[in-house]
Amino acid sequence: MTSLEKLEKFRNYSYTILGNGRAALFDLMDAVLTSRKIVSIVELSLSPVFRRAWPSLYETLQDACVPRQMLMQHYVKQMPETALTILAGDHTAWSRPYAKTLQDRTYQHQPKPNGLGKPVVVGQGYSTLAWIPEAQGSWALPFLHERISSFKTPIEKIAQQLRAVCAQINTTVLFLADGEYGCAPFLKSTADIECIKLLRLRPNRVLYRAPDPYPGYGRPCKHGDKFALKDPSSWGMPQAQILLEDPKLGRLEMGRWEALHFQQAAEHPFEVIRVKRLDAPDSKPLWLMWVAPAKPCLTQVWQLYLRRFAIEHWYRFVRQRLHWTCPKFASLEQTQVWSDLMPLISWQLWLAREVVHDCPLPWQKPMPQLSPGRIANAFAPLLVKIGSPAPAPKPRGKSPGPPVGQQRKLRTRFPIVKKTYSKPSKVAKSAA
């Protein structure tokens, strides 16, 4: 089967499982792929590939129900058979500070572009679990891209997504994540998932070694000596240490310590890896934690973690080129259906990378390996060749609209939900 036939088969099967409004959804996705810049989402209805009237755009996003689990299984089938499958997880914010009629808005962390002000916005958070197919490049192909409700935390959401995806993959899985997931709650939530975890540790973490052997009296100790990442005197000698020469970063010093754990998760030990650039004394070291029965290879483990940044490129790509945060929807159903289309569009671009012809702008240089953005800009000629699985629309006339003189009701305003965390209260000691 050629690459073009794989793309056509992928689009045809995706069309059959989308359900209600699938014809309008496919026209909407093709309009996104052929529109470089828009100011409002309604401008997508002006695209030649969107063969319906502009009200169909909002109506199909309101009434459609995208089967995320079926699409996730469909994505897994497109992966080649490899010995190691690398997944990356993260979450981002869709800023909606003025959407008072949008339900379930919370305070989200989002860095400011200029670095001024607090990195907090009002909006909705989205958790993403993606496959990183290449060692270099900006390709990240999401399996799931779901909204984090006010009743769940990002750690609970990514653990649920990781459990669902790992159940569909038969090979060894390596999961990569940043410092927010390098904590005890994440280890507890994913302890039953069969995968290797390579997570970054925040530089202010305090870990503990394994306790000394039980002396035979008193309560057994859960923790040994402290291992503070900020205190070099508490590290001791590493179990393994090597020096590397990287062509870009220069000399690297790497050390590995075994049998460390968090205070809240003493039953889940892991190994800690420290990466230090010797040619840049002012740079901060990179602390990583390796959760797996096998020992990590120090010459490769830090390069594996760098592949996590591909998901950051995908977040920028869906915002700038796929117009993810451009719409100003007023309902949760529209925001989730629109967000479910982003992984489906990304997988179509991945399957089209070998058959599309680069169409650079006059001021752009040719690329030997096309990025997702370059493939999206050159997708229009490919659509003319393969067509759309959606049938042509049938005219049904104009809607009569509301009765004359009927007053419209104002939409309900919803308050901002503030997530709180309360520490467990300490039990007072009874008097002797």
Side-chain angles (χ1 to χ4, degrees):
M1 185 181 299
T2 63
S3 300
L4 185 61
E5 292 174 345
K6 290 181 180 179
L7 177 60
E8 290 186 84
K9 183 179 179 181
F10 178 85
R11 286 169 58 88
N12 292 334
Y13 182 76
S14 301
Y15 176 77
T16 59
I17 65 176
L18 277 182
N20 295 335
R22 55 188 178 182
L25 288 178
F26 250 83
D27 283 1
L28 179 59
M29 287 191 294
D30 293 344
V32 171
L33 289 171
T34 56
S35 302
R36 291 175 181 262
K37 298 289 184 180
I38 62 172
V39 178
S40 175
I41 188 178
V42 74
E43 294 184 15
L44 296 176
S45 64
L46 303 178
S47 175
V49 297
F50 193 84
R51 298 164 293 177
R52 288 153 177 82
W54 66 268
S56 300
L57 188 149
Y58 291 97
E59 185 176 357
T60 186
L61 291 176
Q62 180 68 30
D63 299 336
C65 183
V66 178
R68 288 189 292 271
Q69 297 300 322
M70 295 181 64
L71 284 175
M72 181 263 293
Q73 298 173 6
H74 186 36
Y75 300 152
V76 172
K77 296 179 182 179
Q78 313 305 319
M79 299 170 53
E81 295 183 1
T82 56
L84 181 64
T85 301
I86 297 182
L87 305 180
D90 204 351
H91 71 96
T92 187
W94 185 347
S95 178
R96 297 297 304 277
Y98 307 110
K100 297 182 179 180
T101 60
L102 182 61
Q103 194 176 1
D104 208 25
R105 291 184 304 156
T106 58
Y107 293 97
Q108 300 289 332
H109 176 270
Q110 186 175 22
K112 300 293 182 180
N114 52 10
L116 301 177
K118 296 182 178 180
V120 179
V121 297
V122 177
Q124 295 176 337
Y126 280 79
S127 178
T128 309
L129 182 63
W131 171 47
I132 312 300
E134 297 177 341
Q136 295 181 352
S138 57
W139 281 102
L141 302 172
F143 294 111
L144 295 169
H145 179 57
E146 300 175 297
R147 184 179 65 88
I148 307 172
S149 66
S150 58
F151 301 97
K152 285 190 176 182
T153 63
I155 292 178
E156 295 174 349
K157 191 64 177 180
I158 198 66
Q160 176 185 354
Q161 294 175 335
L162 184 61
R163 184 175 292 103
V165 173
C166 289
Q168 304 295 328
I169 300 178
N170 299 324
T171 59
T172 304
V173 175
L174 172 61
F175 176 74
L176 310 176
D178 62 358
E180 185 175 3
Y181 302 93
C183 57
F186 179 77
L187 290 185
K188 291 182 178 180
S189 301
T190 60
D192 59 330
I193 303 177
E194 295 183 1
C195 69
I196 304 173
K197 307 178 189 70
L198 180 58
L199 315 171
R200 186 173 66 87
L201 286 170
R202 291 176 177 173
N204 59 348
R205 288 288 186 186
V206 177
L207 310 176
Y208 293 87
R209 290 185 170 88
D212 296 332
Y214 181 57
Y217 54 89
R219 180 181 178 182
C221 296
K222 292 184 178 180
H223 316 292
D225 298 333
K226 285 187 177 182
F227 188 95
L229 303 187
K230 282 189 174 181
D231 186 9
S233 62
S234 64
W235 299 346
M237 292 299 297
Q239 278 70 36
Q241 188 173 7
I242 61 172
L243 294 176
L244 296 177
E245 184 73 24
D246 186 77
K248 293 183 178 180
L249 303 179
R251 295 180 301 160
L252 299 177
E253 181 185 34
M254 307 186 64
R256 176 174 58 86
W257 290 265
E258 301 176 357
L260 296 171
H261 61 265
F262 293 107
Q263 185 178 12
Q264 299 82 5
E267 65 278 7
H268 301 292
F270 52 86
E271 300 187 7
V272 173
I273 302 168
R274 178 177 179 266
V275 183
K276 175 64 176 177
R277 295 181 59 186
L278 299 180
D279 296 335
D282 298 334
S283 63
K284 297 181 180 180
L286 174 65
W287 290 94
L288 303 174
M289 56 179 294
W290 174 272
V291 186
K295 303 297 181 182
C297 179
L298 295 182
T299 58
Q300 299 178 359
V301 64
W302 67 279
Q303 295 178 343
L304 290 174
Y305 178 78
L306 296 182
R307 297 177 65 172
R308 189 205 71 85
F309 293 97
I311 198 171
E312 304 288 350
H313 298 308
W314 186 81
Y315 281 144
R316 184 177 65 252
F317 170 67
V318 294
R319 283 188 171 95
Q320 298 178 358
R321 181 56 184 83
L322 301 187
H323 324 300
W324 174 47
T325 56
C326 177
K328 307 299 179 184
F329 297 126
S331 66
L332 297 178
E333 293 78 12
Q334 291 176 329
T335 57
Q336 184 58 71
V337 172
W338 172 251
S339 301
D340 289 334
L341 299 181
M342 299 297 110
L344 185 54
I345 296 175
S346 302
W347 278 91
Q348 294 182 52
L349 295 176
W350 169 255
L351 295 175
R353 70 193 187 282
E354 297 180 358
V355 295
V356 75
H357 298 284
D358 190 17
C359 300
L361 298 174
W363 52 86
Q364 292 180 338
K365 297 181 180 180
M367 298 178 62
Q369 295 182 353
L370 299 182
S371 63
R374 295 293 281 268
I375 296 179
N377 295 338
F379 204 83
L382 188 60
L383 280 179
V384 176
K385 187 175 181 180
I386 64 177
S388 174
K394 297 179 181 180
R396 299 180 181 274
K398 293 185 179 180
S399 173
V404 180
Q406 180 181 2
Q407 295 184 356
R408 297 185 179 182
K409 298 182 180 180
L410 295 177
R411 293 176 178 173
T412 306
R413 268 59 175 170
F414 297 97
I416 302 174
V417 180
K418 185 177 181 181
K419 295 182 180 181
T420 59
Y421 173 74
S422 58
K423 295 183 178 180
S425 58
K426 297 181 179 179
V427 180
K429 296 182 179 179
S430 58

